[in-house]
Amino acid sequence: MAKVLCVLYDDPVDGYPKTYARDDLPKIDHYPGGQTTPTPQGIDFTPGHLLGSVSGELGLRSYLESQGHTLVVTSDKDREGSVFDQELVDADIVISQPFWPAYLTAERIAKAENLKLAITAGIGSDHVDLDAAIAKGITVAEVTYCNSISVAEHVVMMTLSLVRNYLPSYKWVLDGGWNIADCVSRSYDLEGMQVGTVAAGRIGLAVLRRLAPFDVGLHYTDRHRLPESVEQELGLTWHESAAAMVPHCDVVTINAPLHPETEGLFGDELIATMKRGAYLINTARAKIADRDAIDRALRSGQLAGYAGDVWYPQPAPADHPWRTMPHHGMTPHISGSSLSAQARYAAGTREILENFFAGTPQRDEYLIVDKGALAGVGAHSYSVKS
Ligand code: NDP
C-alpha cells in the first residue's frame, strides 16, 4: 500500500467555502486539437468546488483510503523541519501544484527512499529536479493541457489591464475619486499594437488566437515553427529567437517552460532591446525574467508595465520587490487554478494515480520523466543539465 503525500495551498482565511458564486461549470470534454480532458474511472468531488486547498484534498481521500492507501495532506513545505520534509522520507508518491510547489530538490529526492512518482497537479514540473528524478528512476507526470486555456485567458486579461491602465483606475474608484486624467494619462488602446509570444505551445497559441480579433500584429518565436496554415490564418510573423522578436513588439508575453535555455532570458540586456514603454506579461515561470532587471526597467520607464502570476520562490516573501515596483499588475500564482481548472487537474491526478496503481501506461502527454529519461511531453518540451 502506498503513502501519498499531497502538498496543497492553505484554505481561505475565512475557512473552507460552504457556498460558491456559481452552481455549475461548463462541460468541456476536449481541448483544442482534440486531446480529451481527464478520463479517470470515477471522481469523488463536485466540479466547481475548491479542490486545490488543504481541505479540498484534490478530492482524493475517499478514493485512496478505499484502496488501502494513506493520504497525508499539508501546506507546510518550506521551513526547516516542515511536515513535507518529515513525511517525505517514506512517501511513495508526492503530489503538488505549481501554485504552491513542493520543491523536490536533489537533496530531498536523495532522502526520499521510497519515492516512485511525483505528480504535478497542473502544468510545469520545474519544481522537481528532473536530473535527480532521472537518476533515481522516479516518474514525473503532469496534467498536460488542464489549465492552458485558463492561463491564456489570464494573459489576455493582464494585457488589457496594463495597456488600458485598469488597476490604477479601479483604485481611484475604491478611494472615492473621479480622477479621469490620472487614470487616462497612462491608458492606450491595444488595437494596432504588435504583440509577440515567446513560445507558441498550448498557452502561447491560445493567447495568439484570443488576441487576433483585437486587430493587433501578432508575432511569435518558438523552437518549432507552427504549421503554415496557422501562421496564415492568424497572420503571424515568426522570429528565430526572442532577441530577434522583442524589438518589434509593444507587448511581449512569455509562454515557454523554465529550463536551462530560458532561465534568466529577460535580463537587462534583452529588455534594453525592447521598445521603450513595452509591456511584459509573464505567466510562465518567474525565473525566465531577472527579478531586479524587471524592477529597474519599470522604474526607468523602459517597460511601461509588467504583469504575471509567477514568482520565485512561492509563496513570495513580503518584501519581494515585485510587490512594490511601479506599474505592475501581479497576482499570486492563480491563473491556472481557477475552479474550472481545478476540476480538470484533480480528475487528471486521479487518472494518473489509477494508472500507476493498476500498472497501466500513463498517457504520453502526461509524462515528463519515466524509466530514467525525459519521456512523453517532457522529452519534447524540457531539456536537462546533463
Ligand atoms: P507547451 O509545452 O504546450 O508549450 C511550450 C512551448 O515552449 C513549446 O512550443 C516549446 O517548443 C516552447 N519552447 C521551449 N523552449 C523554448 C525556447 N527556448 N524558446 C522558445 N520556445 C520554447 O506548454 P504550455 O503552453 O501548456 O505551458 C507553457 C508553460 O507555461 C509551462 O511550461 C509552465 O511553466 C507555464 N504554465 C503556467 C501556469 C500558471 O498557472 N501560471 C499554468 C500552466 C503552465 P517546442 O515544443 O516547439 O519545442
Side-chain angles (χ1 to χ4, degrees), residues 199 201-203 222-224 257 259 261 283 309 333 335-336 380-381:
R202 295 175 189 84
I203 297 173
D222 198 294
R223 299 194 297 195
H224 300 86
H259 57 86
E261 268 174 45
T283 52
D309 68 331
H333 194 169
S335 66
H380 185 77
S381 299

Side-chain angles (χ1 to χ4, degrees), residues 42 44 59-69 349-350 353-355 357:
D44 302 311
L60 291 173
R61 186 170 295 281
S62 57
Y63 159 65
L64 286 171
E65 291 184 348
S66 70
Q67 310 274 312
H69 305 299
T349 301
R350 166 93 178 243
L353 288 169
E354 286 174 359
N355 285 329
F357 293 130

Side-chain angles (χ1 to χ4, degrees), residues 98-99 122-126 142 144-148 151 154 198-205 221-225 242 254-259 261-262 265 282-285 288 309-310 333-337 377 380-382:
F99 326 105
I123 305 174
S125 297
D126 46 89
E142 59 186 49
T144 300
Y145 231 142
C146 63
N147 54 16
S148 307
V151 179
H154 209 77
V198 178
R202 295 175 189 84
I203 297 173
L205 180 57
T221 180
D222 198 294
R223 299 194 297 195
H224 300 86
R225 226 168 142 164
I254 307 174
N255 298 296
L258 173 67
H259 57 86
E261 268 174 45
T262 55
L265 182 63
N282 178 11
T283 52
R285 284 296 175 265
I288 298 175
D309 68 331
V310 285
H333 194 169
I334 56 164
S335 66
S337 195
V377 76
H380 185 77
S381 299
Y382 286 79

